[in-house]
């Protein structure tokens, strides 16, 4: 009997040694905190930031607090104020534009703490404890316009290309028009519909119907949330669309919407890469402060997130140019 007990005990010991051991928890860098506009699953700023944090944590073996602040400006202010007043937090990475403006106010009140502000537009006075990073909207528009121009080759087919434009999108539209012309589209081939709000998908849908009624095969959404109407219209009419600002394809794929068959992809700020790089530079003491940086296509501040439709249909040389960042956004001659 004792022999069997000994054999059973040895077996249990051997089995225990083969079981997977719980992973050692990563140390938490409470001195650094990230507050990002959006929610989990938005396929926009927050999800991009989460991807960047994940890449940093895997490479560095540490964890960084990341807070989803939603889309309510009152919530932004409360969360940012509470975080800045915590004595454990000394470096704040805040984005995008609205939260970054609130972060700038806090940086002036707390000069002993440091702030990296994503999406803060150029032109603001930058305190010595702030690194401001913006994403070149003109170049975002240029890349979208170049893709649209290459897709239909209007110089050969005489097909027009279009855009849905919302308030405050002047730089996006100017870049879009220039990128399309660089791809061969004459100025007269460009069609545009405007909406008064960047948060009205119904108005976007109605404007998109007018746009597609002009015979265009492809249009870009330069109107924030109103662009959702453009993508729905493209799906219903079996036309093509390009998103800007968020990964619109993934949003529609999650909803199993017909719009996912119309979307070629989106041009977005490369928040994931910028967050990863910023955290890495911070840990190494390499972050500069008191300056403003505008990141464009060549600097890795802008990303093309193509959809399966794009990778299935786009010419290989265009895919390669995007993958290798061979495109060179350059200003067009003033007419």
């Amino acid at each position: 009997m004792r022999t069997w007990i000994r054999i059973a005990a040895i077996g249990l010991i051997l089995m225990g040694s083969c079981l997977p051991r719980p992973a050692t928890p990563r140390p938490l860098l409470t001195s650094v905190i990230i507050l990002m506009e959006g929610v989990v699953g938005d396929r926009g700023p927050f999800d991009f930031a989460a991807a960047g944090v994940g890449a940093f944590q895997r490479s560095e073996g540490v964890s960084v607090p990341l807070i989803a602040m939603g889309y309510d400006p009152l919530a932004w202010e409360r969360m940012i104020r509470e975080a800045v007043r915590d004595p454990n937090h000394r470096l704040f990475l805040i984005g995008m534009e609205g939260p970054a403006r609130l972060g700038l106010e806090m940086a002036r009140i707390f000069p002993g703490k440091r702030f990296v502000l994503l999406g803060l537009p150029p032109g603001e006075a930058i305190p010595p404890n702030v690194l401001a990073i913006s994403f070149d909207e003109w170049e975002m528009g240029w890349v979208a316009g170049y893709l649209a121009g290459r897709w239909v080759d209007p110089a050969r087919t005489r097909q027009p290309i279009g855009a849905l434009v919302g308030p405050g999108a002047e730089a996006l539209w100017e870049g879009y028009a220039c990128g399309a012309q660089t791809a061969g589209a004459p100025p007269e081939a460009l069609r545009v519909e405007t909406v008064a709000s960047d948060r009205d998908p119904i108005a976007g849908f109605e404007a998109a119907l007018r746009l597609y009624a002009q015979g265009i095969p492809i249009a870009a959404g330069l109107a924030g949330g109103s662009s959702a109407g453009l993508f729905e219209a493209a799906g219903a009419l079996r036309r093509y669309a390009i998103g800007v600002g968020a990964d619109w394809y993934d949003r529609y794929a999650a909803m199993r919407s017909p719009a996912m068959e119309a979307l070629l992809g989106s041009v977005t700020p490369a928040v994931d890469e910028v967050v990863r790089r910023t955290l890495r530079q911070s840990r190494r003491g390499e972050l500069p402060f008191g300056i403003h940086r505008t990141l464009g296509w060549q600097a890795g501040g802008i990303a093309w997130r193509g959809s399966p439709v794009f990778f299935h249909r786009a010419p290989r040389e265009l895919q390669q140019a995007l993958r290798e960042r061979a495109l060179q956004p350059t200003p067009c001659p003033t007419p």
Side-chain angles (χ1 to χ4, degrees), residues 68-311:
M69 295 196 296
Y71 294 98
D72 181 359
L74 293 178
W76 299 342
E77 184 172 7
R78 176 179 56 80
M79 292 179 185
I80 292 172
R81 287 183 183 275
E82 289 178 357
V84 174
R85 287 172 178 163
D86 188 325
N88 292 316
H89 305 326
R90 297 189 296 277
L91 173 64
F92 305 85
L93 200 158
I94 302 173
M96 295 289 279
E97 181 178 347
R101 291 184 185 276
L102 294 171
L104 184 62
E105 295 179 13
M106 292 294 99
R108 290 169 178 151
I109 297 172
F110 295 88
K113 298 192 175 187
R114 293 186 170 184
F115 297 77
V116 178
L117 306 178
L118 299 185
L120 190 71
E124 299 279 358
I126 305 301
N129 60 332
V130 169
L131 167 61
I133 299 175
S134 61
F135 303 91
D136 194 319
E137 291 191 350
W138 186 91
E139 292 199 2
M140 289 174 62
W142 190 97
V143 173
Y146 185 85
L147 286 165
R150 282 294 306 275
W151 192 263
V152 301
D153 190 9
R156 178 172 57 82
T157 64
R158 300 299 176 189
Q159 286 182 302
I161 58 177
L164 182 69
V165 179
E170 292 82 8
L172 283 170
W173 163 245
E174 291 173 4
Y176 182 81
C178 181
Q181 292 176 51
T182 303
E188 60 271 18
L190 299 177
R191 304 286 185 270
V192 62
E193 284 285 337
T194 61
V195 288
S197 169
D198 59 3
R199 298 184 180 182
D200 190 345
I202 295 177
F205 184 81
E206 293 172 347
L209 292 179
R210 296 193 297 270
L211 196 60
Y212 284 121
Q214 300 177 53
I216 67 169
I218 185 170
L222 313 179
S226 298
S227 299
L230 171 74
F231 308 140
E232 293 288 358
L237 298 174
R238 297 182 181 274
R239 307 290 177 84
Y240 289 113
I242 297 174
V244 173
D247 191 342
W248 288 98
Y249 176 83
D250 272 10
R251 287 188 180 187
Y252 282 101
M255 296 186 290
R256 300 178 182 273
S257 166
M260 61 188 286
E261 299 297 329
L263 279 160
L264 301 183
S266 295
V267 185
T268 73
V271 175
D272 44 359
E273 174 58 22
V274 171
V275 166
R276 183 198 66 81
R277 192 165 55 202
T278 298
L279 291 172
R280 188 178 183 189
Q281 290 176 327
S282 170
R283 200 170 191 208
R284 297 181 178 184
E286 298 172 351
L287 277 182
F289 289 91
I291 65 171
H292 185 286
R293 286 178 170 172
T294 299
L295 300 180
W297 174 257
Q298 291 296 331
I302 297 169
W304 166 248
R305 305 178 194 274
S307 72
V309 177
F310 173 80
F311 291 117

Side-chain angles (χ1 to χ4, degrees), residues 12 23 34 37 44 70 74-75 88 92 112 123 193 196 254 296 323 327:
L12 289 172
I34 302 173
E37 174 186 1
L74 293 178
N88 292 316
F92 305 85
E193 284 285 337
R323 185 170 57 252
L327 302 180

Side-chain angles (χ1 to χ4, degrees), residues 4-25:
W4 285 109
I5 292 174
R6 289 194 187 107
I7 293 173
I10 293 171
L12 289 172
I13 292 171
L14 291 173
M15 287 179 62
S17 65
C18 295
L19 292 175
R21 297 179 181 179
T24 303

